[in-house]
Amino acid sequence: MAEPIKNKRPDPAVAPTPQNTPLNAAPISSHAQQPGIASIKEEDLGAAAASIFAKDPRLVSLIQGRLGSLVGKSSGYIESLPAEVKRRVSGLKGIQKEHSKLEAEFQEEVLQLEKKFFAKFTPLYEKRAAIVNGKTEPTEDLIKAGEEDEEPEEGAAVEEKAATSGDKVTGIPEFWLSAMKNQISLAEMITDRDEGALKSLIDIRMEYLDKPGFRLIFEFAENEYFTNKIITKTYFYQNESGYGGDFIYDHAEGDKIDWKAGQDLTVRIEQKKQRNKTTKQTRIVKKTVPTESFFNFFSPPKPPTDDDDETAEDIEERLELDYQLGEDIKEKLIPRAIDWFTGEALAFEELDEEDYADFDDEDDEDEDDDSEDHDDEDESEEDEEDGSKPKQEPSECKQS
């Protein structure tokens, strides 16, 4: 189950999959040392190598192929050992096999422990769902316990607002949508079009499978987008344990969404005008094309095959991202939904370097602003000379 929120988040673990789980150990590295010539600099070597590869890109693929063929090959050292030493090496391998069996047993017991405590957590999740959906009200003891961490000013302001409001509100509106939008990995997937459907989200819960794996369950109220009351996504693991006894993620399967007519959020309609060459008549042709949507989450990527147009690397990256999203929902969102709803959980999330990519230091921003001001002045002067209005380049919208 989920660990307590800590002050620092470790780097997200990459899900072990059949594609990224190594079959053999890496080759034994040689005892080669770095060059000792003082005149050789890494920068010079890098620039020279880049120049060579730029002239002939085939060298890159050739070197990659050669390096790939070396993976898993022995350096020859083990084969050169005396027979009695080889026997000892074999004995150590035997010990390692016994260790691996214990690791697998450990992971299995951890899973059973998770299931045991999940059964204890479930009644709490049911109470939460009842309060969120207005089926019941929290007890005074629960309210008092929750207010212990709140500042008095905030509590007074909330009570005053509730007293002056004439409209009666049932439960906590948009609870799960708000919680998901505060969770960084999920927020990136939610588009403006998705929010209308996600407002009808009643509950998010999970359950363990009989064999290693888990199922995420999304429950919706009646809405104008689809007829499903329940949409699930199931993550399956392989039967055999991986290196270190860990369960190896295999694949995921999602439910088919029964979209109402014209309400499919995973596609958009493109219109194109066509003119008949003979009659000169025009017509509007409509084409349905895939588009970004949170609900693509229920159509997970498939493991790569020989017929795939995409590279195995791209599919592997999508598989890992899809698995990590499922883990975030299972380990973060569901256990601590109220912390994500209020945004308090963000204080315990450490942003990765990629999250800072869109931000610059203040000094750099000032310099950039100054340079932009000078550029604008130059452009305006040129425009005055030409007597024309400045051309504005259309801004490109990118969504990862």
Side-chain angles (χ1 to χ4, degrees):
M1 291 304 299
E3 297 180 357
I5 294 180
K6 299 179 181 178
N7 291 332
K8 185 174 180 182
R9 185 186 68 178
D11 295 332
V14 174
T17 70
Q19 288 74 36
N20 67 18
T21 303
L23 295 177
N24 299 301
I28 298 176
S29 58
S30 64
H31 298 283
Q33 298 179 351
Q34 296 182 352
I37 303 176
S39 60
I40 297 180
K41 297 182 179 179
E42 292 185 5
E43 294 82 358
D44 298 336
L45 289 173
S51 176
I52 295 173
F53 292 146
K55 292 179 181 178
D56 191 355
R58 292 176 298 178
L59 285 174
V60 178
S61 59
L62 178 62
I63 292 174
Q64 287 177 339
R66 292 289 178 88
L67 290 176
S69 64
L70 293 176
V71 175
K73 288 189 176 181
S74 172
S75 64
Y77 171 71
I78 301 298
E79 289 78 5
S80 66
L81 294 173
E84 61 270 19
V85 178
K86 288 183 180 180
R87 287 175 55 83
R88 295 168 192 147
V89 171
S90 297
L92 294 182
K93 287 183 178 181
I95 294 176
Q96 188 61 49
K97 285 187 175 181
E98 293 181 8
H99 189 279
S100 297
K101 290 179 181 178
L102 288 176
E103 285 178 325
E105 184 180 340
F106 169 75
Q107 293 295 341
E108 183 61 36
E109 290 197 16
V110 168
L111 177 59
Q112 296 305 321
L113 185 62
E114 286 185 358
K115 290 182 177 181
K116 175 183 176 181
F117 275 86
F118 178 73
K120 296 182 178 182
F121 293 142
T122 300
L124 301 180
Y125 298 153
E126 292 173 350
K127 287 182 182 180
R128 178 179 67 191
I131 294 172
V132 166
N133 296 298
K135 295 180 179 179
T136 186
E137 294 294 334
T139 64
E140 290 299 324
D141 290 340
L142 290 175
I143 296 173
K144 186 177 179 180
E147 288 178 342
E148 289 179 354
D149 298 330
E150 295 179 0
E151 297 180 2
E153 293 79 11
E154 290 185 6
V158 171
E159 289 178 3
E160 183 179 352
K161 183 177 179 181
T164 57
S165 176
D167 298 332
K168 184 177 180 180
V169 179
T170 302
I172 304 179
E174 301 180 19
F175 176 83
W176 286 104
L177 172 59
S178 300
M180 291 169 67
K181 289 175 69 175
N182 281 335
Q183 218 287 318
I184 298 174
S185 58
L186 294 176
E188 292 177 347
M189 298 177 60
I190 299 174
T191 67
D192 293 340
R193 298 171 69 231
D194 294 328
E195 292 193 14
L198 292 175
K199 287 179 181 179
S200 64
L201 195 49
I202 295 176
D203 194 22
I204 301 177
R205 52 187 182 271
M206 60 84 63
E207 63 184 14
Y208 286 99
L209 306 182
D210 293 335
K211 60 181 182 179
F214 61 92
R215 178 176 292 110
L216 301 176
I217 303 169
F218 294 74
E219 184 177 356
F220 292 86
E222 182 117 8
N223 60 79
E224 59 182 303
Y225 296 92
F226 43 77
T227 59
N228 307 66
K229 294 294 188 296
I230 299 288
I231 306 177
T232 70
K233 183 172 182 180
T234 308
Y235 288 85
F236 297 93
Y237 293 84
Q238 292 188 2
N239 294 327
E240 296 181 359
S241 301
Y243 188 80
D246 293 327
F247 298 113
I248 303 178
Y249 169 58
D250 189 74
H251 72 286
E253 296 177 3
D255 286 345
K256 180 180 179 298
I257 302 177
D258 299 322
W259 297 100
K260 295 181 179 179
Q263 297 294 336
D264 190 344
L265 298 173
T266 63
V267 298
R268 58 186 171 86
I269 306 298
E270 285 187 351
Q271 293 186 354
K272 187 176 182 182
K273 185 182 290 186
Q274 292 182 344
R275 182 184 296 274
N276 189 294
K277 294 181 180 179
T278 305
T279 63
K280 304 301 181 183
Q281 291 181 339
T282 60
R283 65 175 182 175
I284 302 296
V285 178
K286 295 182 179 181
K287 182 181 179 182
T288 301
V289 295
T291 189
E292 293 180 346
S293 170
F294 167 78
F295 291 93
N296 289 323
F297 176 71
F298 298 100
S299 300
K302 304 294 182 185
T305 62
D306 296 335
D307 300 331
D308 285 325
D309 295 332
E310 296 181 87
T311 63
E313 244 180 64
D314 292 337
I315 299 178
E316 181 69 23
E317 185 177 348
R318 290 172 58 204
L319 284 168
E320 292 175 2
L321 175 61
D322 181 72
Y323 177 83
Q324 189 59 50
L325 286 170
E327 280 287 317
D328 285 346
I329 295 173
K330 171 178 174 283
E331 298 291 338
K332 295 181 179 181
L333 181 65
I334 293 177
R336 302 188 179 275
I338 183 58
D339 292 335
W340 291 107
F341 174 79
T342 60
E344 295 176 20
L346 289 169
F348 302 94
E349 288 284 292
E350 181 182 328
L351 295 178
D352 297 327
E353 291 182 4
E354 294 179 359
D355 297 324
Y356 289 106
D358 296 332
F359 297 90
D360 298 324
D361 294 335
E362 291 184 0
D363 295 339
D364 295 339
E365 285 184 0
D366 295 338
E367 293 176 2
D368 293 341
D369 292 340
D370 294 339
S371 63
E372 287 178 1
D373 292 339
H374 292 306
D375 293 340
D376 291 341
E377 292 176 2
D378 296 339
E379 288 179 2
S380 60
E381 291 176 0
E382 293 177 1
D383 294 332
E384 289 177 1
E385 293 176 2
D386 297 340
S388 59
K389 294 182 179 180
K391 295 181 180 179
Q392 183 177 0
E393 293 293 335
S395 60
E396 182 181 0
C397 178
K398 296 183 179 179
Q399 183 171 354
S400 59

